[in-house]
Amino acid sequence: MRAIVKTAPGEGNLELLEWQEPEPGADEVKIRVAAAGICGTDIHILKGNWHCRPPVVLGHEWCGTVVDVGARVTRFRPGDRVVASNPARTCGACYHCLAGNPFMCAERVSAGYMIDGAFAEYLCIDARRCHQLPAHVSFREAALGEPLAVAVHAAIERTTVRAGDLVLVSGPGCIGLLTLIVAKLQGGRVILAGLDRDRARLACGRDLGADLVVNVEREDLPEIVREVSGGEGADLVFECAGSVTSLENCWQAVRKGGTVVSLGVHSAPICTDFGKVMMKELQVVGSYGYVWSSWARTVRLLAEGRINAAALITHEYSLEQFRAAFELAQNGAAIKVVLSPEMAWNGGR
C-alpha cells in the first residue's frame, strides 16, 4: 500500500513509499482510510522538533471504513463507518488508565508518530479506540473529529464555558476555531485573535460566529479586551497558538481570578511572566488530548449537525500530493488540509 513515512529523525525526511499493508491483531480492526487531517503535530514532526519513532507512517486525525476485524472483536464488522482516537495502546492498569485518562499513561503508544498512523491506505487499531459514525455524518466532517474532541475536552471538561462568559481564543488554527465553535455553543461571547498571516482564518472565525476578531499585529489585543469587558478582562482565555507572544497577551487579557487554558504546542521551553498567575490569582489549566467522554460528545455534536466541521476544510489532496499539502498546512494559507488516500493523483484542489 501507499503511505507517507517519516524515514529518519530531523527536519524533512518525509517520503511517499510502498509500505507493508497491516493485518489486524485479535483486538484490532483494519480500516480503509477515507480522510486524514494534517495536524500541527505533523508539522512539528516534519520540522524535527516533535518526538517520533522513524520509520513511521504519520497521521492521527482520521476516519474510514472497517474492512476486517480481529478474532476477539465483537463491536464492529466490515462495512462499519468509524472514527478513532489515540493513544493506540496503553497499559490499562496504571492510575491514569483506570481514571479514564489514557494520554497520561507512562506507557502510552500513539499512532501517527510512535507506531504507524493514517497517512496510508489502511490502518489497524485497537477496536476500543473506535467510535461508530452515523450514516449521515460525512467522512469530511468526521476527519475533524479528533481536533474537535480536543476542543470539547478543553472547553467543556477541563474547564467550562458558561453562558455570558467573555472568552478569548488566541490562535485561529484548527484547534482555535473549533474551540471558538464549542465556546459559542456553550453561550460564550468570543474574541478571536491572530496575525497578519491568519487573515483567512480570522475571516473564517467571523463566519463561524466570533463576536470580534483582532489582528494582534495591527491592534492592541489586551486593550480591546479591556474595552469589551468594561475594564475587567476575559473570563476564560484559550492559548491555542503555542507562542510566547500569544501567551503574554493572554496573561494581560485575562481578568483577575480568571482562567488561562494552555492548548497550543510549544516546540521548545519558553520564558514567560509567570508572576501574573500569583498577582492576578489566575487558574492555569493544561489541556492535552481528550478522554472517552470527549469523543461521546463529539460524535453526538456531529450527528446532531450542531457543528459544521467541514467548513474548516479548505484543501484536500491525494497522498501523492503530500508535499503541496504540507506546505499549505504550515504557511497560513489553509485552515485545514485533508489527505484522502482514495483520491486520484490529479484530483486535488
Side-chain angles (χ1 to χ4, degrees):
M1 68 173 186
R2 297 165 301 146
I4 298 170
V5 181
K6 178 75 171 181
T7 58
E11 186 169 1
N13 301 318
L14 204 60
E15 301 291 340
L16 179 66
L17 301 176
E18 280 297 320
W19 205 245
Q20 179 68 44
E21 186 173 318
E23 294 302 326
D27 297 308
E28 294 182 327
V29 292
K30 180 178 179 179
I31 311 295
R32 183 172 67 247
V33 179
I38 296 178
C39 172
T41 302
D42 298 313
I43 302 302
H44 284 298
I45 294 171
L46 174 67
K47 293 181 176 180
N49 52 28
W50 185 267
H51 64 280
C52 68
R53 299 176 182 174
V56 65
V57 179
L58 300 193
H60 61 273
E61 302 177 359
W62 60 277
C63 57
T65 304
V66 176
V67 295
D68 196 6
V69 300
R72 290 197 291 264
V73 176
T74 59
R75 290 181 53 231
F76 299 99
R77 60 185 180 181
D80 285 347
R81 303 166 74 253
V82 297
V83 64
S85 64
N86 257 324
R89 295 196 297 267
T90 61
C91 75
C94 70
Y95 173 90
H96 301 289
C97 286
L98 295 174
N101 194 351
F103 269 100
M104 298 298 108
C105 176
E107 297 181 27
R108 74 177 174 90
V109 175
S110 291
Y113 48 94
M114 300 171 81
I115 61 172
D116 285 348
F119 291 165
E121 294 179 82
Y122 296 95
L123 170 70
C124 289
I125 197 163
D126 193 314
R128 290 170 293 186
R129 305 302 181 206
C130 295
H131 308 263
Q132 193 102 27
L133 276 177
H136 64 278
V137 176
S138 73
F139 283 136
R140 279 176 60 83
E141 295 173 285
L144 274 80
E146 202 265 359
L148 177 55
V150 171
V152 165
H153 185 54
I156 297 178
E157 296 170 339
R158 290 294 290 148
T159 186
T160 302
V161 177
R162 294 177 174 83
D165 278 349
L166 179 62
V167 178
L168 169 63
V169 176
S170 181
C174 183
I175 295 294
L177 290 171
L178 290 169
T179 301
L180 154 68
I181 294 172
V182 174
K184 290 296 294 183
L185 285 175
Q186 295 290 101
R189 298 177 296 145
V190 182
I191 299 172
L192 179 68
L195 307 171
D196 277 340
R197 68 193 294 267
D198 297 320
R199 188 174 294 106
R201 296 173 177 181
L202 291 172
C204 178
R206 185 181 291 110
D207 292 341
L208 290 170
D211 296 274
L212 184 65
V213 298
V214 178
N215 182 331
V216 301
E217 293 184 291
R218 300 176 183 274
E219 303 171 274
D220 187 332
L221 176 61
E223 181 58 32
I224 289 172
V225 173
R226 281 191 289 270
E227 290 176 4
V228 172
S229 63
E232 292 297 328
D235 299 294
L236 278 163
V237 175
F238 293 89
E239 199 294 301
C240 301
S243 80
V244 176
T245 301
S246 170
L247 185 56
E248 294 294 341
N249 276 330
C250 292
W251 295 142
Q252 294 183 58
V254 67
R255 68 168 171 80
K256 294 175 181 178
T259 300
V260 176
V261 183
S262 177
L263 271 172
V265 174
H266 295 269
S267 58
I270 63 170
C271 181
T272 185
D273 184 8
F274 205 72
K276 291 283 197 311
V277 176
M278 180 269 292
M279 296 297 293
K280 298 178 75 170
E281 288 200 344
L282 301 177
Q283 296 183 72
V284 179
V285 177
S287 189
Y288 182 62
Y290 35 72
V291 294
W292 183 265
S293 59
S294 317
W295 274 96
R297 291 185 168 100
T298 291
V299 173
R300 192 179 311 125
L301 287 170
L302 291 173
E304 293 173 355
R306 299 181 65 194
I307 288 186
N308 182 16
L312 275 64
I313 299 174
T314 54
H315 300 79
E316 189 173 1
Y317 288 98
S318 66
L319 293 180
E320 286 79 4
Q321 297 168 306
F322 79 93
R323 295 194 191 280
F326 269 80
E327 177 62 29
L328 270 173
Q330 61 185 310
N331 69 11
I335 298 173
K336 192 64 177 182
V337 180
V338 168
L339 294 169
S340 297
E342 297 176 342
M343 179 181 287
W345 189 336
N346 62 355
R349 61 179 186 275

